[in-house]
Amino acid sequence: MQATETGLLRAARALDRVAIVSGHLVAWMIVPLVLALSYEVVARYWFNAPTQWAYDMTFMLYGSFFMLGAAYTLQRKGHVRTDSFYANWPPRRQAAVDLAGYLLMFFPFVGVLLFVGWGYFWKAFVTHETFVSSSWQPITWPFKLALPVAGALLALQGISECLKCLHTLRSGAWPGQDAPPEIAV
Amino acid sequence: QSTVRMKIQTAVPTSSIYFDLMKKMGERCDKMSGGKIKMEMLPDGAVVNAFEMLDAVDKGVVDGGYSWTHYWSGKNTAAGLFSNPAAGAGTGMDQISHVAWLLQGGGMTLYKRFYAEVLKLNIEPLMVQPMGPDPLGWFKTPIASLEDMRKLKYRAPPGLVGEIFKEMGINAVAMPGGEIVPAAQRGVIDAAEWIGPADDLALGFHTVFKHYYLQGLHQSTDVGEVLINKRVWDKLAPEHKAIVETAALACMTETYSYNVQRNAQALQKIQGEFKVQVHDTPKDIFPAFIKATNLVYDREAGKNPFFKEVLESQRQFAKLVVPYWNKIVGLYYNLGIDSPYK
Amino acid sequence: MSDEVLGIVALLVLFGAIFIGFPISFTLGALSLATGYIALGPVVFDLAILQTFSVMRDTVLASIPFFLFMGFLLEQSGLMERLFRGIQQLLAGVRGSLYIAVIVTATIFAAATGIVGSSVTLLGVMAGPSMIKSGYDPKLSAGAITAGGTLGILIPPSVMLIVMGPVVGVPATDLFAAAVLPGLLLSTLFLVWCLLRCWLNPALGPALPPELRPTALGPVVKDLVLGVLPVIVVIMATLGVILLGIATPTDAGAVGCAATFLLTVGSGRMRWPQIRKSMLQTLEVSCMILLLVVASNLFGAVFARLGSPEFMAEWLLGLSLPPMLMLGLILGLIFVLGWPLEWVPIVLIVVPVVLPIVQAAGIDLLWFCTLVAVTLQTAWLSPPVALSAYFLKGVVPQWELTQIYAGMLQFMGLQVLAVIILMLFPALATWLPRVAG
Ligand code: NA
Ligand code: NA
């Protein structure tokens, strides 16, 4: 029994690593976001020479930023819940509700991002679709790829969370490092 | 035959004259079909963002969409030639000649092929509203030359026109109509074009810009389209398809009449009530525009065979009609008299 | 069941489902997909993707990560805490001084931005920790921050009024002028409410105990000036360029981040661990907020596609009532719709449906629009679909959502009061445009 539990947790921890590493990488995207737009502001307001690319670059980076970070946020328990009842439940009931939530709500939603999103990426990729929102006209597929990648990362992290729920259902307590379901602000 | 209901999302707000024209087209279909065709028009953004409309209609998220072909230039650059061949594809075709190309010069065949074979979408397209020419647009500060315009960020229609402006050294961004005034208010852009006096006024352009330049070549012709999801279209009986197609033709005529009268009314209001200064466009912009247009179009024709085919069809047609139509039409703009109402 | 009724049922299910305690964005997303699938079939999956792309391409929402990053940098450097401690010491004898600080800052911020999300997050980051440390009442604190934050959508420049203008055919500048006094009215009501409650019950916003008060004002002022002035300069410069119409909130946010970064790192207050923490927090809270925006837009789009808003509006119009009663009912409908929907679908879909009736009744359009705008303010404060609550929860996790909800409801009551005052005194809306125009 003990062996399976640690097996569950070991698998969950391995999946957690994926989300954590992805989060630490994606967090860096704020740097080019700030730099690109600051450069544009200086070029535009001081030198009357706005760039062709800043408008598109901003939404491409910002859109990818928050989608790709969603799995990391899930790992950190950062997606907000209405915890008025939930917080007072014993861990087993919390885990049962979470498990049902992941299977009935989370995976269908994430599956749409992953599979339907992939279709949009693939079509943009093979047709060399470009954005027409500026004369820069960058290709769209890197931006559209963010959707299925976000879906895949979320799905992996969802599996990890389900494993933790199973562990909790068996042992009656949440695994140690996941105890405080708070954002560490 | 049971009633076919269509939710059609437009790319304009409810206050647009083109929204009004679409509602009238829907009412016509309803009456002619004895209530068997019900079209409900929705404003821009009601279900999806205007730039996502093509995918939305293709997948059936909405039954139909009202937009302009050049919005899909990112899928294929030839799109712009159907709705918005800049400066008449560099040939001098005006708005009526462009519609003549569509209806008589093989344009509609190419247009349907574009959606069915080139983009491979489940879409039945209809041309409905020739609304050009579009003014160069609205400016926060007056411009005296092309050089002045190069210092500004300018909202232009999406597609190759953006590239033409880039070739001219002008910084163009494209955004859906509803975002233009908010963007100008917040300083994203310094100048903008949208459609014409009536719709520009309805969107409140006069509240942020005080200078209006009437003549422009970037949309010397500009045709609005209705895209209908193929599955919905195929639900229509043959006689009902004919009704929709006829209503589309009727909408073209009504659009011409709206363009003249509503835009003139709006221009009076813009100048009189809102004290906007209306200027003539600086002359050096036109030759630079035509030069850039031909350069960009020829370059594009070298890269995209379908673009080349459409462009050649337009140039061929222009060879036929320009010597006749342009030759005489200049005189008739003023009917040979120095009008007292000028 | 017709599509329209299905939409209303989905709404009722949503109220229950959100209290299950599963993350709200996924609950909302899945419920939208299920409802949409029943009515529309598999196209709802495409709708979900298209809605997601729309949020990903929204350059106004792109300001949210910037304002968060700015806030977290300031917070990690300890400067914000110092600022609020300074203000509190300065106003040490005044009960509820932090409420004053929050509402005044919120009003200034509202005049600088046209959006809600970034105001609530920035105010939350700035004021939340100080309020907790000073023993302030969580409910009233959360209410003041969320309500203050929503002023941004009413006090010009307002994205909502800009969108509403073309829908009703009234110039946005007139709407701006009309919204100024009602906006200040709300801000005053908020302030009076906070101070009144503190006066009645000092425990809600305790003044500093005498032994903690500074003996002399000199050192406090000096500390404020030397330690915090640079930060204030950065914030004012950021807000100033927005206010003067020089840059967008997004542009200004980016520059504000760069400036804050240079300032905090340059002053030696930031080391790599603090910087990394700020970056990770920015990512985490941005994802939480924006994924929720995706899910709530999807729900709104499904609800609109089903025709439920028109259905409710048309039912109302079928009653044929006297104008004032009709106006009250229309506002009531908008109030109710503001619960599940955000203002965008209401302005775009419901307002055009009721507009002919309003015109037929001879109701002044400017007045009507202002009433609608103030009523729609409540949509930001109506739990459980009230984004402000989650914006705040994201940055001040110590406050329970139920406390935040309870705080918001008080201020929602004040907004209803403002709507009633505005109904009784139309001049509050119509006077300024007449004078200015
Ligand atoms: Na145009
Ligand atoms: Na709400």
Side-chain angles (χ1 to χ4, degrees):
Chain A
M1 205 62 197
Q2 191 59 37
T4 17
E5 273 171 16
T6 47
L8 282 178
L9 277 188
R10 221 180 305 128
R13 298 283 173 240
L15 291 168
D16 279 1
R17 289 300 303 164
V18 178
I20 292 169
V21 169
S22 75
H24 281 245
L25 290 175
V26 174
W28 278 98
M29 286 171 77
I30 192 80
V31 176
L33 249 175
V34 169
L35 290 181
L37 213 46
S38 301
Y39 178 84
E40 162 75 0
V41 171
V42 173
R44 182 159 141 65
Y45 297 107
W46 271 271
F47 298 108
N48 275 328
T51 65
Q52 302 276 354
W53 47 264
Y55 183 89
D56 290 332
M57 185 65 99
T58 303
F59 75 72
M60 284 161 69
L61 281 170
Y62 136 83
S64 314
F65 178 74
F66 82 82
M67 284 309 293
L68 293 175
Y72 171 77
T73 308
L74 182 63
Q75 198 278 331
R76 302 272 307 150
K77 309 231 176 292
H79 291 292
V80 65
R81 323 167 168 252
T82 312
D83 50 6
S84 32
F85 303 115
Y86 182 92
N88 302 320
W89 288 339
R92 274 214 174 87
R93 187 185 294 173
Q94 289 180 336
V97 166
D98 272 7
L99 194 59
Y102 281 110
L103 295 178
L104 296 174
M105 302 200 277
F106 177 86
F107 282 114
F109 182 70
V110 165
V112 169
L113 293 182
L114 175 52
F115 295 109
V116 186
W118 175 265
Y120 279 80
F121 152 71
W122 185 247
K123 184 144 196 200
F125 182 73
V126 295
T127 60
H128 308 289
E129 186 189 44
T130 57
F131 281 115
V132 291
S133 41
S134 77
S135 32
W136 182 37
Q137 298 182 303
I139 40 169
T140 63
W141 67 257
F143 174 77
K144 293 194 168 176
L145 184 59
L147 220 55
V149 171
L153 288 171
L154 274 168
L156 289 178
Q157 189 52 37
I159 294 170
S160 164
E161 298 300 322
C162 287
L163 295 176
K164 290 177 208 166
C165 290
L166 286 176
H167 167 88
T168 309
L169 282 175
R170 288 186 177 183
S171 68
W174 287 102
Q177 280 150 280
D178 296 287
E182 303 273 29
I183 308 169
V185 170
Chain B
Q1 183 72 25
S2 62
T3 304
V4 177
R5 290 175 191 279
M6 301 182 202
K7 275 191 200 282
I8 298 180
Q9 190 196 301
T10 69
V12 291
T14 39
S15 58
S16 164
I17 60 173
Y18 305 102
F19 190 86
D20 201 30
L21 285 161
M22 281 313 298
K23 274 197 351 208
K24 288 193 167 180
M25 177 175 153
E27 282 157 19
R28 270 201 193 98
C29 290
D30 189 344
K31 270 191 201 150
M32 288 195 283
S33 65
K36 295 288 189 195
I37 307 171
K38 297 273 185 204
M39 292 180 175
E40 186 194 338
M41 300 300 161
L42 301 169
D44 179 21
V47 182
V48 292
N49 179 297
F51 284 164
E52 319 285 0
M53 191 103 74
L54 187 66
D55 289 330
V57 177
D58 174 47
K59 304 288 185 184
V61 173
V62 285
D63 305 312
Y66 164 96
S67 181
W68 300 272
T69 324
H70 56 268
Y71 271 43
W72 323 130
S73 303
K75 311 258 181 202
N76 188 306
T77 48
L81 291 176
F82 292 105
S83 57
N84 180 27
T91 65
M93 277 198 298
D94 71 356
Q95 179 70 85
I96 286 192
S97 306
H98 175 70
V99 170
W101 171 74
L102 282 168
L103 299 182
Q104 313 301 333
M108 281 308 275
T109 315
L110 287 166
Y111 176 59
K112 293 200 173 187
R113 248 183 68 203
F114 175 66
Y115 282 108
E117 290 167 26
V118 179
L119 298 186
K120 299 191 176 64
L121 298 173
N122 297 312
I123 280 175
E124 180 70 23
L126 297 160
M127 282 294 192
V128 289
Q129 293 177 354
M131 60 186 66
D134 292 13
L136 183 70
W138 298 77
F139 292 73
K140 286 185 176 167
T141 48
I143 51 165
S145 64
L146 174 61
E147 197 43 51
D148 287 351
M149 205 173 159
R150 288 191 174 127
K151 294 181 190 132
L152 309 173
K153 202 149 198 165
Y154 172 67
R155 186 275 172 192
L160 276 187
V161 167
E163 214 163 308
I164 295 171
F165 279 122
K166 181 162 133 192
E167 197 64 49
M168 296 166 70
I170 290 169
N171 213 303
V173 299
M175 52 186 75
E179 290 176 20
I180 300 174
V181 172
Q185 222 131 16
R186 293 178 284 111
V188 186
I189 49 173
D190 316 291
E193 71 86 49
W194 174 228
I195 298 178
D199 265 46
D200 295 0
L201 184 67
L203 282 188
F205 276 58
H206 58 286
T207 59
V208 270
F209 305 104
K210 284 298 169 198
H211 301 274
Y212 195 24
Y213 290 79
L214 277 187
Q215 308 93 335
L217 287 178
H218 67 287
Q219 284 184 300
S220 51
T221 89
D222 181 13
V223 190
E225 68 185 356
V226 170
L227 307 174
I228 296 176
N229 178 278
K230 197 86 183 173
R231 246 178 330 192
V232 177
W233 178 255
D234 288 338
K235 276 193 228 157
L236 294 170
E239 63 270 28
H240 290 161
K241 287 180 182 166
I243 284 175
V244 176
E245 284 164 344
T246 308
L249 279 174
C251 189
M252 283 204 182
T253 312
E254 201 165 34
T255 304
Y256 278 122
S257 69
Y258 263 54
N259 274 346
V260 172
Q261 190 248 6
R262 299 294 177 97
N263 282 333
Q265 274 180 340
L267 187 65
Q268 259 185 7
K269 224 172 159 183
I270 287 167
Q271 281 181 290
E273 199 174 313
F274 299 115
K275 308 282 179 253
V276 171
Q277 290 188 45
V278 178
H279 306 272
D280 283 334
T281 301
K283 291 272 181 293
D284 63 341
I285 290 180
F286 303 130
F289 190 89
I290 305 230
K291 196 175 143 211
T293 301
N294 283 316
L295 200 119
V296 168
Y297 280 9
D298 286 335
R299 189 168 64 205
E300 202 55 37
K303 285 192 277 187
N304 178 347
F306 186 70
F307 185 93
K308 189 170 177 214
E309 189 181 345
V310 179
L311 184 67
E312 270 170 8
S313 164
Q314 288 186 332
R315 286 180 172 169
Q316 205 65 37
F317 191 74
K319 252 183 226 157
L320 172 72
V321 300
V322 169
Y324 163 69
W325 185 248
N326 285 33
K327 187 102 181 160
I328 60 167
V329 90
L331 173 70
Y332 295 97
Y333 279 136
N334 294 311
L335 277 187
I337 54 169
D338 196 13
S339 168
Y341 306 119
K342 236 176 167 174
Chain C
M1 183 161 40
S2 74
D3 282 359
E4 293 85 351
V5 178
L6 177 66
I8 295 165
V9 170
L11 190 53
L12 297 175
V13 172
L14 173 65
F15 278 101
I18 266 178
F19 282 96
I20 292 173
F22 196 66
I24 297 166
S25 39
F26 303 116
T27 308
L28 199 56
L31 186 65
S32 313
L33 289 179
T35 312
Y37 191 83
I38 294 170
L40 312 171
V43 298
V44 73
F45 303 142
D46 293 286
L47 182 59
I49 299 297
L50 295 175
Q51 281 293 332
T52 310
F53 281 140
S54 288
V55 176
M56 290 171 72
R57 289 183 67 170
D58 191 320
T59 48
V60 176
L61 290 174
S63 63
I64 289 179
F66 291 135
F67 285 117
L68 285 169
F69 192 41
M70 224 169 113
F72 285 128
L73 282 174
L74 288 173
E75 196 233 331
Q76 282 294 319
S77 69
L79 284 171
M80 282 330 286
E81 216 186 310
R82 206 165 156 194
L83 170 68
F84 268 79
R85 210 174 43 231
I87 292 181
Q88 206 195 11
Q89 291 202 328
L90 217 53
L91 297 172
V94 184
R95 282 181 204 163
S97 55
L98 283 178
Y99 295 122
I100 305 178
V102 164
I103 303 287
V104 171
T105 317
T107 310
I108 296 170
F109 203 85
T113 63
I115 46 179
V116 169
S118 47
S119 314
V120 174
T121 42
L122 192 59
L123 284 168
V125 171
M126 287 192 329
S130 313
M131 291 175 128
I132 291 171
K133 233 168 253 167
S134 310
Y136 273 50
D137 177 49
K139 291 178 198 153
L140 195 58
S141 303
I145 293 174
T146 47
T150 62
L151 288 171
I153 202 74
L154 182 65
I155 294 180
S158 148
V159 176
M160 176 167 75
L161 294 177
I162 290 169
V163 173
M164 203 188 294
V167 172
V168 289
V170 174
T173 39
D174 284 4
L175 289 180
F176 278 9
V180 170
L181 289 181
L184 293 177
L185 171 73
L186 267 179
S187 162
T188 313
L189 283 176
F190 294 166
L191 205 58
V192 168
W193 175 251
C194 289
L195 293 179
L196 184 73
R197 292 211 54 203
C198 287
W199 181 68
L200 291 174
N201 178 6
L204 295 177
L208 271 188
E211 61 273 19
L212 286 184
R213 289 184 207 173
T215 43
L217 274 183
V220 175
V221 174
K222 196 179 159 201
D223 189 51
L224 255 180
V225 170
L226 291 183
V228 180
L229 198 66
V231 183
I232 297 182
V233 170
V234 168
I235 294 176
M236 290 320 287
T238 313
L239 298 188
V241 288
I242 306 174
L243 195 56
L244 295 173
I246 297 172
T248 65
T250 311
D251 288 348
V255 176
C257 283
T260 310
F261 184 81
L262 292 177
L263 188 83
T264 51
V265 173
S267 69
R269 291 171 185 282
M270 295 291 272
R271 295 274 178 272
W272 169 236
Q274 283 94 1
I275 298 172
R276 191 176 67 172
K277 195 164 179 208
S278 308
M279 282 165 57
L280 289 171
Q281 285 173 330
T282 303
L283 177 68
E284 200 176 323
V285 180
S286 299
C287 292
M288 184 278 278
I289 291 175
L290 291 162
L291 208 63
L292 204 54
V293 174
V294 167
S296 95
N297 279 11
L298 176 60
F299 187 81
V302 168
F303 197 66
R305 183 66 178 74
L306 294 178
S308 308
E310 290 103 324
F311 175 77
M312 293 164 86
E314 267 152 23
W315 171 80
L316 183 64
L317 299 189
L319 299 178
S320 65
L321 299 162
M324 273 308 270
L325 195 56
M326 184 60 91
L327 182 63
L329 275 180
I330 289 174
L331 294 176
L333 174 75
I334 289 173
F335 178 78
V336 170
L337 287 173
W339 233 286
L341 296 179
E342 292 310 326
W343 61 268
V344 182
I346 297 179
V347 168
L348 288 173
I349 297 156
V350 181
V351 170
V353 175
V354 297
L355 195 61
I357 290 290
V358 173
Q359 281 167 322
I363 294 167
D364 183 277
L365 278 185
L366 211 50
W367 179 47
F368 173 71
C369 289
T370 316
L371 281 168
V372 171
V374 179
T375 308
L376 278 178
Q377 287 274 101
T378 59
W380 292 92
L381 298 178
S382 50
V385 191
L387 291 177
S388 323
Y390 310 120
F391 294 163
L392 185 60
K393 174 74 180 167
V395 289
V396 193
Q398 297 92 323
W399 286 337
E400 300 294 324
L401 262 181
T402 40
Q403 292 175 323
I404 298 177
Y405 289 165
M408 291 165 86
L409 284 171
Q410 302 171 23
F411 286 84
M412 205 167 101
L414 293 176
Q415 289 184 323
V416 173
L417 179 65
V419 173
I420 294 169
I421 294 176
L422 192 56
M423 278 187 88
L424 297 177
F425 305 101
L428 276 171
T430 55
W431 177 74
L432 197 59
R434 217 175 27 237
V435 176

